[in-house]
Amino acid sequence: HGDASDPEVSYDGKKIVFSMRCPSSNTSTIGGQPACTGRWNIWEYDMSEGGLTKGTFRRLTASTADDDVDPAYLPAGRGFVFSSNRQTKSKSLQAVGGEPYFALDEYERERVLNLHTMDSSGAQIEQISFNQSHDRNPVVRPNGDIMFSRWEHVGPRNRFAIFRTKPDGTDMFVLYGAQSPGNSFLHPR
């Protein structure tokens, strides 16, 4: 039992990557190891052998302290892009007294989600975006760039904007911005 979200089909149509959270009290196992950590992790369902009903599951991330969501395939088998609050770079760059520091959202309710990439085995996780609000919903464009939504909430500014970046986090650029006057719906500028 658990919650699944954010399914994305591979370029060849034989796999589906998604995020799933199941309680650590769930006794399911994969390869003799507990399958559930109580946090959102990235999973893949492979239908290459066995088809839709007899495919195999594998967990790509196994975090017990962080949440990994919004996965998408990178082209040419280069792995995945996803949103995570693990903040692999920013927590070490902003260490306070030797202790890792995690950026919290504006209301100090939760750690912010930033974009990360990993290779096809789930290793070599790298943070590619830095935002004091959340970076979510990455989509890979036909040219290989990543398009994503960014919540920009600083002082009176409260808007969702659409950005693009290269898979290594370089060449970031805003494609579209919208702002929220008061509590109304988002409107284009």
Side-chain angles (χ1 to χ4, degrees):
H1 293 82
D3 297 317
S5 184
D6 316 311
E8 177 85 20
V9 178
S10 64
Y11 293 96
D12 64 4
K14 295 180 180 179
K15 298 177 184 178
I16 300 171
V17 67
F18 60 97
S19 54
M20 184 169 72
R21 187 185 83 174
C22 49
S24 55
S25 60
N26 184 326
T27 58
S28 299
T29 61
I30 292 179
Q33 299 296 316
C36 299
T37 68
R39 304 303 297 219
W40 287 96
N41 282 289
I42 307 296
W43 291 73
E44 187 177 53
Y45 185 65
D46 187 345
M47 301 170 285
S48 299
E49 297 177 24
L52 179 62
T53 59
K54 296 187 181 178
T56 57
F57 285 100
R58 73 178 176 132
R59 187 176 60 203
L60 294 164
T61 62
S63 181
T64 58
D66 308 307
D67 290 311
D68 301 328
V69 295
D70 301 331
Y73 287 94
L74 291 172
R78 292 188 326 221
F80 308 89
V81 60
F82 62 101
S83 296
S84 178
N85 62 6
R86 66 179 58 223
Q87 302 174 24
T88 55
K89 280 187 185 174
S90 55
K91 73 178 176 186
S92 62
L93 293 173
Q94 300 178 45
V96 177
E99 293 295 316
Y101 169 80
F102 291 97
L104 299 177
D105 69 8
E106 292 76 8
Y107 304 108
E108 296 186 8
R109 295 178 300 196
E110 61 186 346
R111 292 178 12 210
V112 299
L113 296 161
N114 284 290
L115 296 184
H116 289 68
T117 58
M118 65 181 158
D119 66 21
S120 58
S121 70
Q124 300 197 13
I125 295 175
E126 187 79 31
Q127 184 176 348
I128 64 167
S129 77
F130 298 85
N131 185 11
Q132 63 188 17
S133 298
H134 300 284
D135 290 345
R136 298 283 316 257
N137 313 107
V139 174
V140 178
R141 300 173 70 192
N143 68 356
D145 286 354
I146 298 165
M147 184 171 63
F148 63 97
S149 62
R150 169 169 274 187
W151 182 24
E152 295 179 322
H153 188 188
V154 180
R157 174 186 255 180
N158 188 12
R159 71 180 195 165
F160 287 89
I162 306 299
F163 278 71
R164 67 123 167 99
T165 187
K166 302 260 185 241
D168 63 0
T170 61
D171 198 25
M172 190 174 293
F173 186 79
V174 65
L175 295 174
Y176 174 80
Q179 60 188 23
S180 172
N183 290 330
S184 64
F185 292 102
L186 297 176
H187 300 285
R189 281 198 207 193

PDB file of all heavy atoms in Angstrom, residues 75-104:
ATOM      1  N   PRO A  75      17.058  12.367 -22.168  1.00  0.00           N
ATOM      2  CA  PRO A  75      17.248  11.659 -23.432  1.00  0.00           C
ATOM      3  C   PRO A  75      18.523  10.824 -23.457  1.00  0.00           C
ATOM      4  O   PRO A  75      19.435  11.031 -22.662  1.00  0.00           O
ATOM      5  CB  PRO A  75      17.301  12.779 -24.471  1.00  0.00           C
ATOM      6  CG  PRO A  75      17.482  14.040 -23.736  1.00  0.00           C
ATOM      7  CD  PRO A  75      17.112  13.812 -22.307  1.00  0.00           C
ATOM      8  N   ALA A  76      18.555   9.904 -24.389  1.00  0.00           N
ATOM      9  CA  ALA A  76      19.730   9.067 -24.690  1.00  0.00           C
ATOM     10  C   ALA A  76      20.184   8.234 -23.494  1.00  0.00           C
ATOM     11  O   ALA A  76      21.361   7.946 -23.338  1.00  0.00           O
ATOM     12  CB  ALA A  76      20.881   9.930 -25.209  1.00  0.00           C
ATOM     13  N   GLY A  77      19.238   7.830 -22.627  1.00  0.00           N
ATOM     14  CA  GLY A  77      19.578   6.964 -21.496  1.00  0.00           C
ATOM     15  C   GLY A  77      20.469   7.620 -20.455  1.00  0.00           C
ATOM     16  O   GLY A  77      21.125   6.927 -19.687  1.00  0.00           O
ATOM     17  N   ARG A  78      20.494   8.971 -20.418  1.00  0.00           N
ATOM     18  CA  ARG A  78      21.382   9.676 -19.495  1.00  0.00           C
ATOM     19  C   ARG A  78      20.848   9.739 -18.077  1.00  0.00           C
ATOM     20  O   ARG A  78      21.465  10.362 -17.222  1.00  0.00           O
ATOM     21  CB  ARG A  78      21.663  11.079 -20.001  1.00  0.00           C
ATOM     22  CG  ARG A  78      22.503  11.084 -21.264  1.00  0.00           C
ATOM     23  CD  ARG A  78      22.929  12.475 -21.650  1.00  0.00           C
ATOM     24  NE  ARG A  78      21.911  13.464 -21.316  1.00  0.00           N
ATOM     25  CZ  ARG A  78      21.564  14.470 -22.087  1.00  0.00           C
ATOM     26  NH1 ARG A  78      22.153  14.649 -23.225  1.00  0.00           N
ATOM     27  NH2 ARG A  78      20.631  15.314 -21.726  1.00  0.00           N
ATOM     28  N   GLY A  79      19.691   9.154 -17.815  1.00  0.00           N
ATOM     29  CA  GLY A  79      19.164   9.131 -16.461  1.00  0.00           C
ATOM     30  C   GLY A  79      17.885   9.907 -16.316  1.00  0.00           C
ATOM     31  O   GLY A  79      17.023   9.876 -17.192  1.00  0.00           O
ATOM     32  N   PHE A  80      17.777  10.646 -15.203  1.00  0.00           N
ATOM     33  CA  PHE A  80      16.524  11.272 -14.826  1.00  0.00           C
ATOM     34  C   PHE A  80      16.762  12.673 -14.268  1.00  0.00           C
ATOM     35  O   PHE A  80      17.816  12.954 -13.710  1.00  0.00           O
ATOM     36  CB  PHE A  80      15.833  10.450 -13.727  1.00  0.00           C
ATOM     37  CG  PHE A  80      15.693   9.005 -14.061  1.00  0.00           C
ATOM     38  CD1 PHE A  80      16.701   8.105 -13.725  1.00  0.00           C
ATOM     39  CD2 PHE A  80      14.568   8.526 -14.707  1.00  0.00           C
ATOM     40  CE1 PHE A  80      16.580   6.758 -14.033  1.00  0.00           C
ATOM     41  CE2 PHE A  80      14.447   7.184 -15.016  1.00  0.00           C
ATOM     42  CZ  PHE A  80      15.445   6.300 -14.682  1.00  0.00           C
ATOM     43  N   VAL A  81      15.745  13.513 -14.381  1.00  0.00           N
ATOM     44  CA  VAL A  81      15.683  14.775 -13.656  1.00  0.00           C
ATOM     45  C   VAL A  81      14.495  14.630 -12.712  1.00  0.00           C
ATOM     46  O   VAL A  81      13.507  13.969 -13.034  1.00  0.00           O
ATOM     47  CB  VAL A  81      15.514  15.987 -14.607  1.00  0.00           C
ATOM     48  CG1 VAL A  81      14.251  15.902 -15.440  1.00  0.00           C
ATOM     49  CG2 VAL A  81      15.566  17.294 -13.832  1.00  0.00           C
ATOM     50  N   PHE A  82      14.588  15.221 -11.519  1.00  0.00           N
ATOM     51  CA  PHE A  82      13.503  15.129 -10.546  1.00  0.00           C
ATOM     52  C   PHE A  82      13.625  16.279  -9.554  1.00  0.00           C
ATOM     53  O   PHE A  82      14.655  16.959  -9.485  1.00  0.00           O
ATOM     54  CB  PHE A  82      13.513  13.778  -9.830  1.00  0.00           C
ATOM     55  CG  PHE A  82      14.751  13.505  -9.015  1.00  0.00           C
ATOM     56  CD1 PHE A  82      14.740  13.657  -7.635  1.00  0.00           C
ATOM     57  CD2 PHE A  82      15.931  13.090  -9.618  1.00  0.00           C
ATOM     58  CE1 PHE A  82      15.882  13.404  -6.879  1.00  0.00           C
ATOM     59  CE2 PHE A  82      17.073  12.834  -8.875  1.00  0.00           C
ATOM     60  CZ  PHE A  82      17.046  12.996  -7.494  1.00  0.00           C
ATOM     61  N   SER A  83      12.568  16.503  -8.791  1.00  0.00           N
ATOM     62  CA  SER A  83      12.578  17.513  -7.735  1.00  0.00           C
ATOM     63  C   SER A  83      12.828  16.808  -6.412  1.00  0.00           C
ATOM     64  O   SER A  83      12.307  15.721  -6.171  1.00  0.00           O
ATOM     65  CB  SER A  83      11.237  18.246  -7.666  1.00  0.00           C
ATOM     66  OG  SER A  83      10.986  18.958  -8.842  1.00  0.00           O
ATOM     67  N   SER A  84      13.627  17.445  -5.563  1.00  0.00           N
ATOM     68  CA  SER A  84      13.945  16.846  -4.268  1.00  0.00           C
ATOM     69  C   SER A  84      14.234  17.921  -3.240  1.00  0.00           C
ATOM     70  O   SER A  84      14.763  18.979  -3.572  1.00  0.00           O
ATOM     71  CB  SER A  84      15.162  15.924  -4.394  1.00  0.00           C
ATOM     72  OG  SER A  84      15.491  15.377  -3.134  1.00  0.00           O
ATOM     73  N   ASN A  85      13.927  17.620  -1.998  1.00  0.00           N
ATOM     74  CA  ASN A  85      14.301  18.521  -0.913  1.00  0.00           C
ATOM     75  C   ASN A  85      15.591  18.067  -0.235  1.00  0.00           C
ATOM     76  O   ASN A  85      15.971  18.575   0.801  1.00  0.00           O
ATOM     77  CB  ASN A  85      13.165  18.684   0.105  1.00  0.00           C
ATOM     78  CG  ASN A  85      12.779  17.401   0.792  1.00  0.00           C
ATOM     79  OD1 ASN A  85      13.405  16.356   0.628  1.00  0.00           O
ATOM     80  ND2 ASN A  85      11.711  17.453   1.560  1.00  0.00           N
ATOM     81  N   ARG A  86      16.303  17.143  -0.872  1.00  0.00           N
ATOM     82  CA  ARG A  86      17.578  16.682  -0.307  1.00  0.00           C
ATOM     83  C   ARG A  86      18.661  17.753  -0.391  1.00  0.00           C
ATOM     84  O   ARG A  86      19.580  17.747   0.386  1.00  0.00           O
ATOM     85  CB  ARG A  86      18.041  15.379  -0.963  1.00  0.00           C
ATOM     86  CG  ARG A  86      18.384  15.519  -2.419  1.00  0.00           C
ATOM     87  CD  ARG A  86      18.875  14.242  -3.091  1.00  0.00           C
ATOM     88  NE  ARG A  86      17.938  13.158  -3.018  1.00  0.00           N
ATOM     89  CZ  ARG A  86      18.273  11.904  -2.731  1.00  0.00           C
ATOM     90  NH1 ARG A  86      19.518  11.579  -2.512  1.00  0.00           N
ATOM     91  NH2 ARG A  86      17.364  10.962  -2.691  1.00  0.00           N
ATOM     92  N   GLN A  87      18.545  18.660  -1.383  1.00  0.00           N
ATOM     93  CA  GLN A  87      19.449  19.801  -1.521  1.00  0.00           C
ATOM     94  C   GLN A  87      20.921  19.373  -1.401  1.00  0.00           C
ATOM     95  O   GLN A  87      21.664  19.838  -0.549  1.00  0.00           O
ATOM     96  CB  GLN A  87      19.112  20.868  -0.480  1.00  0.00           C
ATOM     97  CG  GLN A  87      17.693  21.363  -0.586  1.00  0.00           C
ATOM     98  CD  GLN A  87      17.307  22.315   0.520  1.00  0.00           C
ATOM     99  OE1 GLN A  87      18.163  22.950   1.115  1.00  0.00           O
ATOM    100  NE2 GLN A  87      16.030  22.418   0.792  1.00  0.00           N
ATOM    101  N   THR A  88      21.354  18.509  -2.298  1.00  0.00           N
ATOM    102  CA  THR A  88      22.691  17.918  -2.211  1.00  0.00           C
ATOM    103  C   THR A  88      23.820  18.933  -2.156  1.00  0.00           C
ATOM    104  O   THR A  88      24.787  18.731  -1.442  1.00  0.00           O
ATOM    105  CB  THR A  88      22.941  16.944  -3.387  1.00  0.00           C
ATOM    106  OG1 THR A  88      22.719  17.630  -4.621  1.00  0.00           O
ATOM    107  CG2 THR A  88      22.049  15.738  -3.309  1.00  0.00           C
ATOM    108  N   LYS A  89      23.712  20.033  -2.903  1.00  0.00           N
ATOM    109  CA  LYS A  89      24.777  21.047  -2.876  1.00  0.00           C
ATOM    110  C   LYS A  89      24.514  22.118  -1.839  1.00  0.00           C
ATOM    111  O   LYS A  89      25.398  22.479  -1.071  1.00  0.00           O
ATOM    112  CB  LYS A  89      24.929  21.724  -4.237  1.00  0.00           C
ATOM    113  CG  LYS A  89      25.709  20.938  -5.232  1.00  0.00           C
ATOM    114  CD  LYS A  89      25.950  21.767  -6.481  1.00  0.00           C
ATOM    115  CE  LYS A  89      26.623  20.937  -7.547  1.00  0.00           C
ATOM    116  NZ  LYS A  89      26.730  21.674  -8.809  1.00  0.00           N
ATOM    117  N   SER A  90      23.295  22.650  -1.821  1.00  0.00           N
ATOM    118  CA  SER A  90      23.039  23.807  -0.968  1.00  0.00           C
ATOM    119  C   SER A  90      23.176  23.488   0.511  1.00  0.00           C
ATOM    120  O   SER A  90      23.599  24.329   1.290  1.00  0.00           O
ATOM    121  CB  SER A  90      21.676  24.430  -1.264  1.00  0.00           C
ATOM    122  OG  SER A  90      20.645  23.495  -1.169  1.00  0.00           O
ATOM    123  N   LYS A  91      22.865  22.261   0.944  1.00  0.00           N
ATOM    124  CA  LYS A  91      22.991  21.969   2.377  1.00  0.00           C
ATOM    125  C   LYS A  91      24.448  21.959   2.822  1.00  0.00           C
ATOM    126  O   LYS A  91      24.752  22.350   3.939  1.00  0.00           O
ATOM    127  CB  LYS A  91      22.305  20.654   2.747  1.00  0.00           C
ATOM    128  CG  LYS A  91      23.015  19.404   2.309  1.00  0.00           C
ATOM    129  CD  LYS A  91      22.265  18.169   2.765  1.00  0.00           C
ATOM    130  CE  LYS A  91      22.917  16.913   2.258  1.00  0.00           C
ATOM    131  NZ  LYS A  91      22.140  15.731   2.567  1.00  0.00           N
ATOM    132  N   SER A  92      25.376  21.556   1.951  1.00  0.00           N
ATOM    133  CA  SER A  92      26.784  21.567   2.339  1.00  0.00           C
ATOM    134  C   SER A  92      27.404  22.950   2.155  1.00  0.00           C
ATOM    135  O   SER A  92      28.262  23.352   2.922  1.00  0.00           O
ATOM    136  CB  SER A  92      27.572  20.527   1.551  1.00  0.00           C
ATOM    137  OG  SER A  92      27.532  20.820   0.175  1.00  0.00           O
ATOM    138  N   LEU A  93      26.936  23.692   1.145  1.00  0.00           N
ATOM    139  CA  LEU A  93      27.465  25.032   0.921  1.00  0.00           C
ATOM    140  C   LEU A  93      27.041  26.001   2.018  1.00  0.00           C
ATOM    141  O   LEU A  93      27.726  26.974   2.299  1.00  0.00           O
ATOM    142  CB  LEU A  93      27.001  25.577  -0.434  1.00  0.00           C
ATOM    143  CG  LEU A  93      27.548  24.866  -1.663  1.00  0.00           C
ATOM    144  CD1 LEU A  93      26.878  25.402  -2.925  1.00  0.00           C
ATOM    145  CD2 LEU A  93      29.046  25.020  -1.759  1.00  0.00           C
ATOM    146  N   GLN A  94      25.908  25.721   2.632  1.00  0.00           N
ATOM    147  CA  GLN A  94      25.378  26.624   3.642  1.00  0.00           C
ATOM    148  C   GLN A  94      25.475  26.029   5.043  1.00  0.00           C
ATOM    149  O   GLN A  94      24.690  26.378   5.916  1.00  0.00           O
ATOM    150  CB  GLN A  94      23.916  26.952   3.327  1.00  0.00           C
ATOM    151  CG  GLN A  94      23.743  27.624   1.988  1.00  0.00           C
ATOM    152  CD  GLN A  94      22.291  27.882   1.686  1.00  0.00           C
ATOM    153  OE1 GLN A  94      21.550  28.352   2.526  1.00  0.00           O
ATOM    154  NE2 GLN A  94      21.878  27.568   0.469  1.00  0.00           N
ATOM    155  N   ALA A  95      26.407  25.127   5.262  1.00  0.00           N
ATOM    156  CA  ALA A  95      26.550  24.489   6.576  1.00  0.00           C
ATOM    157  C   ALA A  95      26.791  25.545   7.649  1.00  0.00           C
ATOM    158  O   ALA A  95      27.534  26.496   7.459  1.00  0.00           O
ATOM    159  CB  ALA A  95      27.691  23.492   6.545  1.00  0.00           C
ATOM    160  N   VAL A  96      26.124  25.367   8.771  1.00  0.00           N
ATOM    161  CA  VAL A  96      26.254  26.279   9.900  1.00  0.00           C
ATOM    162  C   VAL A  96      26.899  25.506  11.044  1.00  0.00           C
ATOM    163  O   VAL A  96      26.340  24.538  11.537  1.00  0.00           O
ATOM    164  CB  VAL A  96      24.868  26.827  10.340  1.00  0.00           C
ATOM    165  CG1 VAL A  96      25.010  27.713  11.560  1.00  0.00           C
ATOM    166  CG2 VAL A  96      24.200  27.558   9.191  1.00  0.00           C
ATOM    167  N   GLY A  97      28.102  25.928  11.443  1.00  0.00           N
ATOM    168  CA  GLY A  97      28.798  25.244  12.524  1.00  0.00           C
ATOM    169  C   GLY A  97      29.092  23.792  12.204  1.00  0.00           C
ATOM    170  O   GLY A  97      29.078  22.936  13.084  1.00  0.00           O
ATOM    171  N   GLY A  98      29.323  23.496  10.922  1.00  0.00           N
ATOM    172  CA  GLY A  98      29.620  22.128  10.516  1.00  0.00           C
ATOM    173  C   GLY A  98      28.382  21.279  10.266  1.00  0.00           C
ATOM    174  O   GLY A  98      28.467  20.190   9.731  1.00  0.00           O
ATOM    175  N   GLU A  99      27.215  21.764  10.679  1.00  0.00           N
ATOM    176  CA  GLU A  99      25.961  21.036  10.475  1.00  0.00           C
ATOM    177  C   GLU A  99      25.329  21.468   9.158  1.00  0.00           C
ATOM    178  O   GLU A  99      25.326  22.654   8.829  1.00  0.00           O
ATOM    179  CB  GLU A  99      24.980  21.321  11.615  1.00  0.00           C
ATOM    180  CG  GLU A  99      25.422  20.772  12.953  1.00  0.00           C
ATOM    181  CD  GLU A  99      25.472  19.259  12.953  1.00  0.00           C
ATOM    182  OE1 GLU A  99      24.536  18.620  12.445  1.00  0.00           O
ATOM    183  OE2 GLU A  99      26.473  18.712  13.461  1.00  0.00           O
ATOM    184  N   PRO A 100      24.765  20.519   8.387  1.00  0.00           N
ATOM    185  CA  PRO A 100      24.123  20.915   7.130  1.00  0.00           C
ATOM    186  C   PRO A 100      22.924  21.821   7.408  1.00  0.00           C
ATOM    187  O   PRO A 100      22.230  21.659   8.404  1.00  0.00           O
ATOM    188  CB  PRO A 100      23.675  19.597   6.509  1.00  0.00           C
ATOM    189  CG  PRO A 100      23.766  18.577   7.568  1.00  0.00           C
ATOM    190  CD  PRO A 100      24.670  19.086   8.630  1.00  0.00           C
ATOM    191  N   TYR A 101      22.735  22.790   6.535  1.00  0.00           N
ATOM    192  CA  TYR A 101      21.612  23.707   6.641  1.00  0.00           C
ATOM    193  C   TYR A 101      20.712  23.484   5.434  1.00  0.00           C
ATOM    194  O   TYR A 101      21.163  23.544   4.297  1.00  0.00           O
ATOM    195  CB  TYR A 101      22.103  25.156   6.654  1.00  0.00           C
ATOM    196  CG  TYR A 101      20.995  26.159   6.497  1.00  0.00           C
ATOM    197  CD1 TYR A 101      20.211  26.511   7.576  1.00  0.00           C
ATOM    198  CD2 TYR A 101      20.723  26.728   5.257  1.00  0.00           C
ATOM    199  CE1 TYR A 101      19.183  27.424   7.433  1.00  0.00           C
ATOM    200  CE2 TYR A 101      19.698  27.640   5.098  1.00  0.00           C
ATOM    201  CZ  TYR A 101      18.937  27.976   6.200  1.00  0.00           C
ATOM    202  OH  TYR A 101      17.911  28.867   6.041  1.00  0.00           O
ATOM    203  N   PHE A 102      19.440  23.238   5.678  1.00  0.00           N
ATOM    204  CA  PHE A 102      18.482  23.049   4.601  1.00  0.00           C
ATOM    205  C   PHE A 102      17.641  24.311   4.455  1.00  0.00           C
ATOM    206  O   PHE A 102      17.118  24.828   5.449  1.00  0.00           O
ATOM    207  CB  PHE A 102      17.557  21.867   4.889  1.00  0.00           C
ATOM    208  CG  PHE A 102      18.247  20.541   4.835  1.00  0.00           C
ATOM    209  CD1 PHE A 102      18.702  19.933   5.995  1.00  0.00           C
ATOM    210  CD2 PHE A 102      18.461  19.906   3.627  1.00  0.00           C
ATOM    211  CE1 PHE A 102      19.343  18.709   5.942  1.00  0.00           C
ATOM    212  CE2 PHE A 102      19.105  18.684   3.565  1.00  0.00           C
ATOM    213  CZ  PHE A 102      19.542  18.088   4.722  1.00  0.00           C
ATOM    214  N   ALA A 103      17.509  24.813   3.235  1.00  0.00           N
ATOM    215  CA  ALA A 103      16.671  25.980   2.983  1.00  0.00           C
ATOM    216  C   ALA A 103      15.217  25.601   3.205  1.00  0.00           C
ATOM    217  O   ALA A 103      14.752  24.561   2.728  1.00  0.00           O
ATOM    218  CB  ALA A 103      16.886  26.477   1.562  1.00  0.00           C
ATOM    219  N   LEU A 104      14.504  26.454   3.941  1.00  0.00           N
ATOM    220  CA  LEU A 104      13.079  26.262   4.188  1.00  0.00           C
ATOM    221  C   LEU A 104      12.291  27.248   3.347  1.00  0.00           C
ATOM    222  O   LEU A 104      12.792  28.310   2.989  1.00  0.00           O
ATOM    223  CB  LEU A 104      12.758  26.482   5.669  1.00  0.00           C
ATOM    224  CG  LEU A 104      13.447  25.563   6.658  1.00  0.00           C
ATOM    225  CD1 LEU A 104      13.086  25.961   8.092  1.00  0.00           C
ATOM    226  CD2 LEU A 104      13.078  24.115   6.405  1.00  0.00           C
TER     227      LEU A 104
END
